[in-house]
Amino acid sequence: MAEVKMPSGHIDQPVIEDNRDGTVSIKYDPREEGVHELYVKYNGEHVQGSPYKFHVDSIFSGYVTAYGPGLTSGVSGEPSQFTISTKGAGAGGLSMAVEGPSKAEITCHDNKDGTVAVSYLPTAPGEYKISVRFGDKHIKGSPFIAKVTGEGRKRNQISVGSCSEVTLPGKVNDNDIRSLNASIQAPSGLEEPCFLKRLPSGNIGISFTPREAGQHIVSVKKMGVHIQNSPFNITVQEQEVGDAKKVKVAGTALKEGKTQGENTFTVDTRNAGYGGLSLSIEGPSKAEIQCADSTDGVLAISYKPTEPGYYIVNLKFADHHVEGSPFTVKVSGEGSNRQREKIQRQRDPAPLTEVGTNCKLTFKMPGITSFDLAATVTSPGGVSEDAEIQEVEDGLYSVHFVPKELGVHTVSVKYREIHIPGSPFQFTVGPLRDSGSHLVKAGGAGLERGEAGRFNEFNVWTREAGAGQLAISLEGPSKAEIDFKDRRDGSCDVSYKVDEPGEYRIGLKFNEQHIPDSPFKVYISPAVGDAHLLEVAQFPDSAQVDKPTQFYIRLNGAKGSLDGRVISPSGKTDDCFIQNIDGDQYSIRFMPRENGVHNINVKFNGVHIPASPLRIKVGKDDADPAAVHAHGPGLGSVKTGAKTDLIIDTCNAGAGILAVTMDGPSRVAMDCTEVEEGYKVRYTPLAPGFYYMSVKYNGHHIVGSPFKIEASGENLAEIGAQETSSVTVETVQKVSKGAQKQGPVLPHFKSDATKVTSKGMGLKKAYLNKHNQFTVHAGDAGNNILYVGIYGPKGPCDEVQLKHKGKNNYECWYVVRDRGEYIVIVKWGDDHIPGSPYKVEV
């Protein structure tokens, strides 16, 4: 079927004629002028390229017009084309200009039939303005606005820094340096964190990137207090300030290159002062970058692309482009014949949830027993409760809970005490606070590994991101078949099948933006063959460091070789020891060397067995990403050039590896220091725009990560491609002050002590060695605990008895042994009841 959307928004039907040779002709007689969209669908799905855009003019010959896809859209790094028709317009001068985020080279070709073919090459995504003039006058529709996307582009980047190092007076030992933090303020007022290190002399050294000449002030603080002699003054000379203009680059590799080989150019920063050099290269493939430092201070940088096409090289020094950057490089040669397949689906917003309604989160995890799954929900107020897990159908599970408050809840789902991929989840009750691609999560076996010739599955949760378009692309040695099931609750499941083994990249985009951690690299193994016959037996629940651990594998008649490797949390791999026990049974033994979750890859004839990678918890891995929280001004709206900070609270989250990454329009100087409740991260953004901060604990995003942060203010660095900065620390165990006395948490009582009544002689007068009695009636006062205390001239009285008669009615008696004045205290929870404390004469 085909339909045409007119500029007014009305839909019109064109005529479709079957040419009887496997093609059809579509004919349309337009009734309006402007940009029309032609939708062509087959079996309800858009055909490739649909919708097509075309431009309709109401102008007769004798005028100049322009039409073509390049006037409305384009892809960065690929030529965009349009046509100018000058039929019968005479010989006025034709002139063209393209303005936008990058210099776009324009080429024209006269078709000798009254039309001119124009092509321009945009090298960065964004909006381009295309002006076409005839005889110094804009033609109709000019200037045209074309939106250029970065679809299908791959980036790689490296940074090599040279920092200015300054020694400060005063000695320091290694332990102290961890609790110190330093910042440097330039003459213009720009303040940035800088890095401290202990020099061999025992003095403190700082390293920083000088951005301006003159007197700088360095503050070194411990727990927020200046150390001795701080703040220090240092002077930066003009020749020390990094100057991108003085960087010399040489080599033809910045103009043209070859695929599958190293293309080398040199960068000389010797006379350019101190500064970090950052290089990013973007194009049809992710080019490997190598950087060799020669003895004379000239860097040799090489890149190795695997696909031909146009690449953009951004080369910056001290956050400014060097002369000629960004470079456009034409790479020629053989490609690796990678195939791309892509599907797009519109996502409607998930139904709103309210307090007291049943909330659910679904996920697919084939091949496990629901017995080993557990889920907890933590409310915004910090109350954690167990949630119920139901098996909806084979391998599809849903977590159910009924929230008691509005706001962002944390849902942790664990399989054998290890968070499942994607957990901990953010779950907003009530209206969503934010939306966008950074709130989409994806996880599942199909994003970690896969098998050729069968469907591999993973989950995508878009609930928190609101409405939008989800695009799933697969690229690799063979074409993919992608299938998509919407579960109508803000989650969906995706399965894909490819025919050839090898390395694939799965890209997940929401509203044209990559979701966190996309694109995913997945290794597809050859068809399993006999590997699916293998069974795992006696797999332990946990293991200890430096103690051998073993489990068994039954081959069940499969023929071939078995191989096992263990990967520790820090990424080290080690071989497992495999021994034949009898016939078809083998034992696999390994010795863990560190605490945390280990992955064991068990392969048969080079192919993962179905249960592989097996996960095992070693030691007390109490590093729980769901217990880590971030807060502070640095997560809100921030100002460029101003230092800002946030606290990452790791109390009760054990010890683990905390990794913080910032992606945004500029690199940021960032550091992380220990504070009482966790870690303080400080950073200074240099360019306005959106930054995304990922906070991961032992490889899992904490709730709310990545955080979207908006920076406003002056631009202090040149904006090129996206820049990434990161900092990683190994955390130590933290316990919050309030929680030193670990123990049961008191229930949250709702009560009103003013509604409690009491009566009886024992509240007015008491007799020695007798039972003095009174009653307390708290039936209308809600739920709480009754506390009774009696204090006399020589301290507490000897005996107090309290009896609950049902329905919150209590009977109390006490015995006193000394004369004098006593005080009777009756409290309902933390509050005195009316009349308490009572004065009693004995």
Side-chain angles (χ1 to χ4, degrees), residues 154-158 250-267 279-292 300-315 327-332:
K154 310 285 181 305
R155 271 190 84 237
N156 203 359
Q157 67 168 35
I158 59 160
T252 55
L254 287 174
K255 290 194 184 68
E256 52 193 16
K258 285 267 180 279
T259 57
Q260 323 295 0
E262 304 283 352
N263 300 281
T264 308
F265 58 94
T266 58
V267 179
L279 165 83
S280 74
I281 178 159
E282 180 177 329
S285 69
K286 188 166 177 167
E288 244 174 75
I289 305 174
Q290 303 275 326
C291 179
I301 297 177
S302 67
Y303 61 92
K304 183 176 174 183
T306 55
E307 299 290 334
Y310 288 95
Y311 286 74
I312 292 124
V313 179
N314 279 291
L315 191 56
F327 302 91
T328 304
V329 183
K330 186 177 182 183
V331 172
S332 54

Side-chain angles (χ1 to χ4, degrees), residues 125-137:
E127 276 200 344
Y128 286 74
K129 197 159 115 190
I130 302 159
S131 315
V132 182
R133 290 190 175 89
F134 183 71
D136 283 347
K137 272 210 185 106

Side-chain angles (χ1 to χ4, degrees), residues 367 415-416 449 530-541 549-556 562-564 584-590 600-604 607-616:
Y415 175 63
R416 290 198 172 148
R449 61 185 189 94
D530 277 354
H532 70 92
L533 296 170
L534 274 65
E535 280 182 279
V536 177
Q538 295 179 27
F539 191 76
D541 283 340
T549 304
Q550 68 173 357
F551 58 96
Y552 300 94
I553 297 273
R554 289 198 200 94
L555 297 193
N556 293 330
L562 194 59
D563 162 56
D584 248 5
Q585 185 142 325
Y586 285 79
S587 77
I588 297 192
R589 197 168 76 232
F590 65 97
I600 305 160
N601 289 336
V602 180
K603 293 183 176 176
F604 186 69
V607 176
H608 278 282
I609 68 168
S612 167
L614 297 143
R615 292 188 173 169
I616 186 168

Side-chain angles (χ1 to χ4, degrees), residues 244-255 264-270 272 277-279 298-301 313-317 320-327:
K245 292 189 195 67
K246 294 184 178 155
V247 176
K248 296 190 176 72
V249 286
T252 55
L254 287 174
K255 290 194 184 68
T264 308
F265 58 94
T266 58
V267 179
D268 179 356
T269 60
R270 284 175 300 185
L277 183 73
S278 71
L279 165 83
V298 177
L299 293 172
I301 297 177
V313 179
N314 279 291
L315 191 56
K316 285 164 130 186
F317 183 72
H320 288 272
H321 284 283
V322 308
E323 201 122 330
S325 169
F327 302 91

Side-chain angles (χ1 to χ4, degrees), residues 250 345 366 374 400 528 539:
R345 292 288 183 273
H400 291 264
V528 164
F539 191 76

